[in-house]
Amino acid sequence: MTIKRLILVCALTALAACTSGGLNRSAGGVYAPGVAGEGDIDGLIVGHRLMAAGEYQLALDAYTRAAGQQGLNVDTLSALGSANLRLGRLGQAERLLRRAVAEDAGFAAAWNNLGVILMEQGNGFTAEGRDRTAHAEKLLATRAGKTYSLTVLAGATLYSSAEPCAMCAGAIYWAGIGRVVFGQTEVALKAITGDNPENPTLDLPCAVVFEAGQRPTEVVGPLLEDEASALQADYWGSRG
């Protein structure tokens, strides 16, 4: 079994939390403050609204203005990283998120500025009675599918230290989780585990599994692969 720690993040819930400061918005639309009094407007709030509307470049512009006003702190760095991630600029996103983590390693929003953690899950090999199918992603997908609607999970992101295997990708798809972000690829994991009977790694990209489905599942990764690989290497080294 691979050693993984997963979190399931839902952007939808977090966006509701972002509105709690009393800002008004028109019915049926995404509210973003206009240019009047721009110096008093929090660019992070504007950016969050634009991210919700799918306007990622405009959100990045708003976050950039916020960084100019507030400086490059953990909030602005994580926001800039999130926007770049949505724009597919993985290298820039990784550099910004590294800086955010360096500012505050315990700041979860550095990994998903708009998200709140819905669930966490570790591997269940021992807890599930030495069940070789009790991978963390599969267990989390099962729990999530029982707990949340398809509408909620379509806006959720599953974060994993290693790419989900074919079995887990199938579980993620059937649960309806809309997005997966992973660190280390299955190919790189296989290079570490080899033919270890505890983890005969399936060398199949999870994107191939998702592409065979009838609803979209976004895949982002690999990210922070060196750190993710170190985690796996330490674990499998201790198993030798």
Side-chain angles (χ1 to χ4, degrees):
M1 302 297 105
T2 55
I3 180 69
K4 299 180 184 175
R5 191 68 181 174
L6 303 186
I7 60 174
L8 182 66
V9 174
C10 183
L12 299 178
T13 305
L15 289 170
C18 288
T19 68
S20 62
L23 289 171
N24 297 318
R25 61 177 175 179
S26 59
V30 174
Y31 171 77
V35 296
E38 185 172 358
D40 297 327
I41 295 170
D42 187 338
L44 288 174
I45 293 176
V46 176
H48 296 348
R49 303 290 185 183
L50 291 166
M51 289 283 282
E55 297 288 350
Y56 304 129
Q57 183 58 56
L58 292 175
L60 179 60
D61 294 342
Y63 291 148
T64 301
R65 289 194 296 273
Q69 295 166 347
Q70 303 176 24
L72 287 173
N73 54 41
V74 66
D75 295 293
T76 55
L77 286 166
S78 63
L80 289 165
S82 296
N84 275 287
L85 191 63
R86 293 303 250 170
L87 287 166
R89 300 166 183 167
L90 302 187
Q92 290 172 268
E94 181 173 337
R95 285 192 293 272
L96 289 160
L97 291 173
R98 282 179 184 274
R99 290 183 63 184
V101 170
E103 290 278 332
D104 183 355
F107 188 60
W111 305 107
N112 188 334
N113 184 30
L114 300 177
V116 293
I117 295 175
L118 300 179
M119 290 182 171
E120 295 183 78
Q121 179 68 54
N123 274 311
F125 177 63
T126 301
E128 299 292 328
R130 300 183 66 81
D131 179 0
R132 289 184 294 277
T133 71
H135 294 191
E137 300 96 328
K138 174 176 170 284
L139 294 175
L140 185 142
T142 299
R143 290 173 53 211
K146 291 178 179 179
T147 306
Y148 298 104
S149 68
L150 283 171
T151 300
V152 170
L153 292 180
T157 300
L158 183 150
Y159 288 83
S160 176
S161 58
E163 183 177 9
C165 71
M167 174 187 70
C168 293
I172 291 165
Y173 172 78
W174 284 110
I177 297 168
R179 187 165 176 256
V180 172
V181 177
F182 67 86
Q184 183 185 36
T185 64
E186 278 286 275
V187 173
L189 178 61
K190 184 179 180 181
I192 293 175
T193 61
D195 60 356
N196 190 306
E198 290 188 36
N199 195 70
T201 304
L202 279 169
D203 184 359
L204 180 69
C206 64
V208 173
V209 178
F210 295 135
E211 286 166 4
Q214 297 184 62
R215 58 175 170 240
T217 306
E218 182 184 359
V219 178
V220 179
L223 290 175
L224 301 175
E225 190 163 18
D226 289 344
E227 288 82 351
S229 297
L231 175 68
Q232 298 289 350
D234 288 346
Y235 175 77
W236 290 104
S238 70
R239 306 292 289 176

